[in-house]
Amino acid sequence: MANSFYEQPILNSPYAPPSLYHRLDDTGQPIEGEPIKGRRPSKFIVPVPASRKKAAATQASLDLETYTENAKINEIRGYVDAWRSVPNPADWGVTPATQRLLEHWRRPKEQWAGPRPFFCQIEAVETMIWLTEVAPRRAATRGLLDQIAKDNEEANPALFRLAMKMATGSGKTTVMAMLIAWQAINAARRETKDFSRAFLIVAPGITIKDRLRVLQPSEPGNYYDTREIVPPEMLPEIRRAEIVITNYHSFQHRETLAMPKAARSFLQGNDPEPIRTVESDAQMLDRACGKLLRFERVNVINDEAHHCYRHKVGGDAEGALTGEEKKEAEQNEEAARLWINGIEALDRQLRRGKRTGGVRAVYDLSATPFFLRGSGYQEGTLFPWVVSDFSLMDAIESGIVKLPRVPVTDNLVQTDTVVYRNLWDNIKKGPKQLPKSTSAAGKLSPFDLPPLLLTALNSLYSHYASEFDRWQRAGIGVPPVFIVVCQNTAISKLVFEWIAGFERGNAEAGERAAFHAGHLELFRNYDEHGGRLPRPRTLLIDSRQLEAGEALDKGFKDAAAAEIDQFKRELAAREGAGAVKGDVNEGDLLREVMNTVGRPGRLGEQIRCVVSVSMLTEGWDTNTVTHILGVRAFGTQLLCEQVVGRGLRRQSYELNAQGLFDVEYADIMGIPFDFARSPQKVDPKPPKPITRVHAIAERADLEIRFPRVSGYRRELPSERLNAEFGEDSELVITPEDIGPTSVTMEGIVGAGVTITPEVLARLRPSEISFNLAKHLLYTHFRDEDGFPKQHLFPQIQRIARRWIDEGYLVTKGVPIGAILYQEQLARAAEKIDIACTRGGGGHVVAVLDPYNPSGSTRHVNFITSKECWKTGAQPPRSQISHVVKDSSWEIALAQALEGHPRVLAYAKNQALGFEIPYLDGGAMRRYLPDFLVRLDAGGGTEPLHLVLEMKGQRDESDKAKAQTARDMWVPGVNALGGYGRWAFAEFTDPYTTEDEFRALVATLIDQASAASTRTQA
């Protein structure tokens, strides 16, 4: 049997729960066989196929490389899966605001204009919601929270942390926005111990801090607006959130009074207490957290949270470390201590003098939430407070990330190892050594690099060149990106100069002692005559220095001086001399270039190669990386995954005909992290153009206001019931609704038998009508105190029997008793209830959303990669710039609206927040019609508002939508007053849409004229 792992690595849609996974053996290696049905359990898996040569014995073997299940994560996942499958939102056990958000995030793909959340993003937030709102209220799951609290006691005794493990490239920023929305909206409506609208977001560096600005509701292009994170009616509540975004370095206590040692000694005198010249906790928090200190409770969100932990008390799992390993461990420990100390200080400050309050919860997000070297724990130990997991393996099988490819064999027969699999160790064995310090590098020239490294650079570059050519032929406007990750600044400077070229001498004095154009043509920063290119192609970056936000080291500034000057000139050319007036902060400038690699029209647009010290920062969200070369030590798979993560973000997010992502690849050398050996190719695709759909200010007169209805109140003039049945009163039940009704059962020998649900077929009509009437009484006919109106039961039963006898119950291939299934009873009851309202002479009044009773087209502002049709009638008839093309039917209707003289204004119902609540099978749902129209109905009457829907085949759910819109929403809104007159209509044939609309308008004009005549009479 073929191994589908190589033939079809992507098995699942990114927008649905994984339903297939590849077979792996006990060591995590892919094995022959078809994919397994279901969801892969959460396990420690490093997706590395065995080398075709003998495996290298030099790499450390850690717990991370084992294959054991995460029992607690899997248990929580099971509970959340079961909770997610509950069909009736009223049974979810969450607040109304949370219910609304969950329905919004889970809505069908047709209702999303722009990027919709991946399943893994929704699952991460669902887990936090379930643990906060559902689990504590159920005896069976309450103990899980006690276990999580116990897990926090050792490493975070003062805090309650919940960690979400999400693969690089799976969209942690979107998850943060969803968490903020959930907490802020609930807190804005009713702040309790479970919710707060104050947030401290802590990032590992300034690069991520800058990128996280999209989480500020006031920021142009924020995720809440442009990515439809919240329904439009909830945007005002999001804007009440108080959000502070910082990097953990801000928790460092700064000097408040700098003085030399002699002056300090003089002022100290004989005082036994030392002079305090650094900030107190309160001063540091006032600077770092600002307005958050006014709140009783604050939520903390840690991005790349594996940098934040407290050292294990008495722990020394790794033993004595030496050399560079010891230095790295000390740096990890210092960063982790500073980060956790800052959060604990905030908790103490908020609790001061209060019985309750403090840091409400800490939400950790990381692709690798493992303890680092220097923590006192075994490196690679999973944080015990991790509660959800979408691993790199899951992300690969769902196509969310690129598929890393690595060397698995080579033609060097003298060794049992694959040389380019761990380039660093093989270079150290050679005669030429790489420098360990800047002073040592000064004695070398770029031409002195080890041959093994040069061959690796040339080999990977050759593959890059072919990829570069394919991208150009495909019409992609930006180049692919090649990354070299180096051990230290000395090595990075030599590699950079060998790749991109260099010049020596004092340029101001007219000297040019040495010049070289660079060995890799596509990456050169100089032309063949020695002149610097207008836009550099290769960038030198020291990630650690940039992320700290401090002044750049002089050695690094000197090494990158030419690039810094070039970018200053480019910035001046783009934005004018005023943009670089004075001394531009080099760190800010280089961060801007790095953050915009691969983005058209920005400083980093044409960068092709990045030579980096350290590993490049986590969260670097460039999606054009295709090649990575590691020239540094990699002790564990944890570090490998962090570095390879820089190349995993996809370039294209368009689904193919099978509803899956196409495979994309990242080619990796020098990093002992590998995944697939199959030399497959994938053609690059140019990204689809992005359209900003927005309300046009100059068309303010075309604004359409509408009510936000949350429910209905029925008022009957008397208690004499009468039902007026119509076309939408019919209920059709088929095997698709209740399951197969004829099943053949066979054993290995003997006779077979066919079974059917005969018990349902034997039910009498009187028995059915009785049970249907009882359901109607208890669900739709209660008094103000909630008691069923028992005296109405005889009338209700007669109406139920009449509904059955007159043929409104239609069964196809199922027995008539199927009506007594709970969902079918609820559907029948809803149809009969509406018929009673229509025939009883009463009226319906709409109940408005108490928080946001009205909406408007003027708030529309989002981006989409879907095809759009520009509104262009003369004079204009739509306030909104475009109609998103979800189907050709909708465009046909839009064209009909643009061309009709009676249409005063119209709008596609996309990101408007216009919804019609309706009951379907006993559960409250929300219906999004296609268009809103303001129509000149003539006869001197006020304009008429139309709700229009394009619909082909109609199922029971569609019938419920239309019936509710026509018989509940329209009369309910008209009874309110204040929103004008409304009507509803459906069109079912795209080829006759224009004629149908003309006929509808003519009918409405006749009705308006007749009504005006009656009024005058």
Side-chain angles (χ1 to χ4, degrees):
M1 186 178 292
N3 192 340
S4 64
F5 183 85
Y6 300 112
E7 295 175 0
Q8 187 185 355
I10 297 177
L11 300 173
N12 302 303
S13 165
Y15 302 108
S19 57
L20 294 169
Y21 61 96
H22 291 293
R23 298 173 182 270
L24 304 177
D25 64 19
D26 292 339
T27 62
Q29 301 298 309
I31 56 178
E32 298 292 324
E34 290 297 315
I36 300 172
K37 293 183 179 180
R39 173 93 180 264
R40 181 188 301 282
S42 173
K43 299 181 180 182
F44 281 130
I45 300 175
V46 176
V48 284
S51 167
R52 295 180 189 175
K53 291 188 172 186
K54 182 179 178 181
T58 54
Q59 180 155 331
S61 176
L62 300 180
D63 287 345
L64 181 60
E65 295 163 357
T66 64
Y67 193 73
T68 56
E69 291 198 16
N70 300 319
K72 182 176 61 185
I73 295 174
N74 289 319
E75 182 182 4
I76 293 173
R77 180 186 288 175
Y79 283 124
V80 173
D81 286 347
W83 170 69
R84 184 189 303 115
S85 65
V86 173
N88 191 344
D91 297 332
W92 291 347
V94 297
T95 68
T98 302
Q99 176 184 321
R100 178 71 182 99
L101 286 170
L102 288 170
E103 290 177 309
H104 180 73
W105 296 331
R106 295 172 179 174
R107 70 193 195 271
K109 63 180 180 180
E110 296 81 12
Q111 296 179 16
W112 290 90
R116 57 185 172 126
F118 294 144
F119 165 77
C120 62
Q121 296 168 334
I122 297 177
E123 181 187 46
V125 181
E126 285 176 336
T127 304
M128 298 303 107
I129 291 172
W130 184 84
L131 286 169
T132 304
E133 299 192 44
V134 182
R137 295 168 177 80
R138 297 180 180 177
T141 55
R142 199 175 297 127
L144 277 171
L145 295 173
D146 297 333
Q147 180 59 48
I148 296 168
K150 186 177 179 181
D151 292 336
N152 273 282
E153 282 179 5
E154 183 176 25
N156 314 285
L159 303 172
F160 185 71
R161 296 176 71 177
L162 296 166
M164 291 153 276
K165 182 172 178 284
M166 298 183 66
T168 297
S170 57
K172 291 186 284 292
T173 306
T174 297
V175 173
M176 292 184 206
M178 296 165 79
L179 286 171
I180 290 170
W182 162 57
Q183 279 284 318
I185 292 171
N186 274 289
R189 297 188 173 186
R190 188 167 68 95
E191 189 155 346
T192 67
K193 66 179 180 61
D194 288 335
F195 304 108
S196 171
R197 60 185 179 91
F199 301 86
L200 175 66
I201 303 175
V202 190
I206 295 179
T207 299
I208 301 181
K209 174 190 170 185
D210 292 344
R211 186 170 57 79
L212 294 180
R213 288 183 307 212
V214 294
L215 298 175
Q216 291 284 11
S218 58
E219 184 76 13
N222 71 79
Y223 274 16
Y224 315 103
D225 283 325
T226 60
R227 299 211 176 193
E228 303 177 64
I229 295 297
V230 298
E233 73 270 16
M234 289 181 163
L235 285 173
E237 288 153 305
I238 278 289
R239 295 188 178 106
R240 293 183 59 195
E242 191 66 58
I243 301 172
V244 171
I245 304 173
T246 189
N247 54 319
Y248 76 89
H249 307 83
S250 66
F251 296 144
Q252 181 71 55
H253 291 68
R254 297 178 181 175
E255 288 278 351
T256 58
L257 180 62
M259 63 178 69
K261 186 176 180 180
R264 184 185 296 272
S265 177
F266 175 78
L267 291 176
Q268 178 73 43
N270 296 322
D271 193 338
E273 291 293 324
I275 297 174
R276 189 173 186 86
T277 60
V278 296
E279 293 174 320
S280 64
D281 277 354
Q283 290 172 314
M284 178 274 291
L285 290 169
D286 185 60
R287 167 178 52 78
C289 303
K291 298 177 182 178
L292 298 183
L293 300 179
R294 300 201 307 258
F295 288 82
E296 185 175 353
R297 284 175 293 273
V298 172
N299 294 301
V300 174
I301 300 177
N302 286 332
D303 195 7
E304 306 298 349
H306 52 274
H307 294 287
C308 176
Y309 51 81
R310 184 160 296 289
H311 191 282
K312 185 177 184 179
V313 178
D316 187 19
E318 295 154 341
L321 300 174
T322 59
E324 293 185 345
E325 289 183 344
K326 181 179 180 181
K327 182 180 179 182
E328 183 179 7
E330 290 172 348
Q331 291 172 335
N332 291 340
E333 173 71 6
E334 181 183 357
R337 183 173 58 248
L338 178 59
W339 194 325
I340 195 74
N341 281 348
I343 298 175
E344 290 176 347
L346 174 62
D347 181 63
R348 290 192 299 270
Q349 185 74 11
L350 294 175
R351 291 180 184 274
R352 185 166 297 175
K354 302 173 184 176
R355 292 184 179 180
T356 61
V359 172
R360 198 199 68 77
V362 180
Y363 297 110
D364 292 337
L365 291 105
S366 172
T368 53
F370 305 106
F371 287 104
L372 302 177
R373 180 176 296 164
S375 65
Y377 298 84
Q378 181 70 46
E379 181 179 12
T381 300
L382 185 72
F383 285 173
W385 55 90
V386 175
V387 294
S388 72
D389 177 21
F390 197 82
S391 68
L392 179 58
M393 194 71 182
D394 296 323
I396 289 171
E397 289 170 337
S398 296
I400 291 174
V401 296
K402 290 180 179 141
L403 184 61
R405 291 188 296 208
V406 301
V408 292
T409 189
D410 57 40
N411 60 350
L412 194 63
V413 296
Q414 294 89 346
T415 177
D416 290 332
T417 62
V418 181
V419 173
Y420 292 147
R421 188 170 223 174
N422 197 334
L423 181 62
W424 182 257
D425 282 356
N426 284 288
I427 287 175
K428 288 198 300 183
K429 297 174 185 175
K432 280 194 174 184
Q433 295 296 304
L434 291 170
K436 297 181 179 179
S437 66
T438 306
S439 59
K443 302 174 185 177
L444 299 174
S445 87
F447 304 104
D448 293 325
L449 292 175
L452 190 58
L453 173 57
L454 299 182
T455 306
L457 282 164
N458 279 313
S459 299
L460 198 57
Y461 169 78
S462 298
H463 187 270
Y464 171 91
S466 63
E467 191 73 3
F468 179 88
D469 184 54
R470 290 200 303 131
W471 279 44
Q472 284 206 320
R473 291 199 308 269
I476 300 174
V478 294
V481 175
F482 185 114
I483 297 176
V484 185
V485 183
C486 299
Q487 180 78 9
N488 55 46
T489 306
I491 297 173
S492 69
K493 182 174 185 294
L494 292 175
V495 171
F496 171 76
E497 291 184 342
W498 186 90
I499 288 174
F502 62 87
E503 53 186 318
R504 301 279 191 266
N506 188 336
E508 293 182 0
E511 298 179 9
R512 190 168 189 177
F515 163 75
H516 190 273
H519 288 83
L520 304 183
E521 183 179 356
L522 293 173
F523 298 157
R524 290 173 180 166
N525 286 341
Y526 299 86
D527 60 27
E528 64 273 18
H529 306 296
R532 290 190 66 84
L533 297 176
R535 305 190 76 170
R537 297 167 174 170
T538 299
L539 180 67
L540 178 64
I541 288 290
D542 185 332
S543 300
R544 191 165 283 157
Q545 290 185 10
L546 287 181
E547 291 312 305
E550 307 295 337
L552 294 177
D553 177 80
K554 185 178 185 302
F556 177 70
K557 285 173 63 175
D558 292 343
E563 284 65 43
I564 291 171
D565 288 342
Q566 178 62 46
F567 289 129
K568 286 181 180 179
R569 290 194 293 272
E570 184 182 338
L571 185 63
R574 283 164 48 88
E575 302 183 18
V580 290
K581 189 175 182 180
D583 187 21
V584 176
N585 184 299
E586 288 88 353
D588 289 343
L589 193 58
L590 286 178
R591 271 190 296 275
E592 169 65 15
V593 177
M594 190 171 72
N595 286 341
T596 58
V597 168
R599 297 188 184 178
R602 305 290 293 275
L603 279 175
E605 173 187 359
Q606 291 303 320
I607 294 296
R608 302 175 182 178
C609 179
V610 177
V611 181
S612 169
V613 184
S614 187
M615 65 179 67
L616 284 176
T617 129
E618 298 100 328
W620 190 54
D621 61 350
T622 299
N623 65 352
T624 51
V625 175
T626 55
H627 296 76
I628 301 177
L629 179 66
V631 191
R632 62 157 295 159
F634 292 95
T636 68
Q637 290 298 325
L638 171 60
L639 184 58
C640 294
E641 183 165 336
Q642 291 173 346
V643 177
V644 171
R646 309 288 70 79
L648 294 184
R649 296 184 188 276
R650 290 185 60 88
Q651 182 228 349
S652 171
Y653 289 89
E654 300 301 325
L655 297 175
N656 59 25
Q658 290 74 43
L660 306 176
F661 285 146
D662 289 325
V663 184
E664 294 184 3
Y665 295 95
D667 289 282
I668 316 294
M669 288 176 63
I671 301 175
F673 175 103
D674 34 276
F675 189 66
R677 11 173 209 215
S678 179
Q680 304 170 62
K681 289 187 177 181
V682 60
D683 291 330
K685 296 181 179 180
K688 283 193 173 182
I690 298 297
T691 303
R692 177 172 169 251
V693 181
H694 62 286
I696 299 174
E698 291 76 16
R699 301 182 187 176
D701 58 319
L702 301 178
E703 176 188 3
I704 297 178
R705 288 182 64 253
F706 53 85
R708 298 189 192 277
V709 175
S710 60
Y712 312 96
R713 188 176 73 251
R714 181 180 57 189
E715 297 178 356
L716 293 173
S718 71
E719 294 200 336
R720 183 173 181 81
L721 302 182
N722 183 40
E724 184 180 320
F725 296 124
E727 181 183 342
D728 285 329
S729 300
E730 183 180 86
L731 175 63
V732 179
I733 308 176
T734 69
E736 290 185 5
D737 299 305
I738 68 166
T741 54
S742 177
V743 181
T744 300
M745 311 289 289
E746 291 182 348
I748 192 166
V749 293
V753 62
T754 299
I755 61 173
T756 60
E758 294 181 12
V759 64
L760 295 178
R762 290 198 296 263
L763 290 173
R764 300 188 306 274
S766 59
E767 191 176 354
I768 292 173
S769 64
F770 177 86
N771 283 281
L772 177 54
K774 181 180 176 182
H775 184 85
L776 265 163
L777 176 68
Y778 280 87
T779 56
H780 293 275
F781 291 90
R782 291 180 178 269
D783 60 23
E784 293 179 355
D785 296 322
F787 295 105
K789 298 180 179 180
Q790 300 282 1
H791 60 285
L792 295 180
F793 185 77
Q795 295 184 70
I796 297 172
Q797 186 174 9
R798 282 196 299 272
I799 291 172
R801 182 59 185 263
R802 181 183 144 214
W803 179 76
I804 295 171
D805 291 344
E806 292 182 6
Y808 291 103
L809 173 59
V810 179
T811 57
K812 297 182 178 180
V814 301
I816 190 172
I819 183 64
L820 297 188
Y821 282 27
Q822 194 65 25
E823 183 175 295
Q824 305 308 321
L825 269 179
R827 283 180 167 167
E830 289 149 18
K831 293 176 179 294
I832 295 172
D833 180 57
I834 290 177
C836 289
T837 301
R838 188 165 50 213
H843 68 279
V844 176
V845 177
V847 178
L848 299 182
D849 186 319
Y851 298 99
N852 292 284
S854 63
S856 168
T857 55
R858 74 172 183 272
H859 301 303
V860 172
N861 182 22
F862 63 89
I863 58 173
T864 181
S865 61
K866 291 183 178 180
E867 185 178 349
C868 293
W869 182 73
K870 191 172 184 179
T871 57
Q874 292 298 331
R877 288 195 166 91
S878 179
Q879 186 182 20
I880 301 173
S881 59
H882 297 79
V883 170
V884 178
K885 185 179 178 181
D886 289 317
S887 73
S888 56
W889 292 32
E890 294 174 354
I891 298 302
L893 181 52
Q895 291 172 330
L897 296 173
E898 290 255 300
H900 200 288
R902 290 279 185 172
V903 173
L904 301 175
Y906 77 94
K908 169 80 182 293
N909 184 23
Q910 193 93 51
L912 281 183
F914 176 73
E915 299 170 333
I916 295 177
Y918 72 102
L919 281 172
D920 181 27
M924 182 62 75
R925 312 288 186 197
R926 284 180 168 81
Y927 163 41
L928 277 70
D930 291 328
F931 284 89
L932 298 183
V933 181
R934 187 165 68 240
L935 192 71
D936 176 9
T941 60
E942 64 176 328
L944 175 67
H945 293 85
L946 292 178
V947 179
L948 299 183
E949 173 72 23
M950 289 293 299
K951 183 62 66 178
Q953 292 183 330
R954 301 169 81 232
D955 57 20
E956 286 301 326
S957 187
D958 294 323
K959 292 178 184 177
K961 293 175 186 176
Q963 189 174 21
T964 302
R966 184 178 294 109
D967 296 330
M968 302 289 283
W969 192 92
V970 167
V973 169
N974 287 340
L976 278 179
Y979 290 95
R981 297 182 302 133
W982 290 79
F984 171 82
E986 273 186 306
F987 299 131
T988 57
D989 188 343
Y991 303 106
T992 61
T993 298
E994 193 168 350
D995 294 334
E996 285 188 72
F997 183 69
R998 282 202 195 99
L1000 172 66
V1001 172
T1003 301
L1004 293 171
I1005 290 173
D1006 291 343
Q1007 292 174 351
S1009 177
S1012 176
T1013 301
R1014 287 196 300 270
T1015 302
Q1016 293 173 0

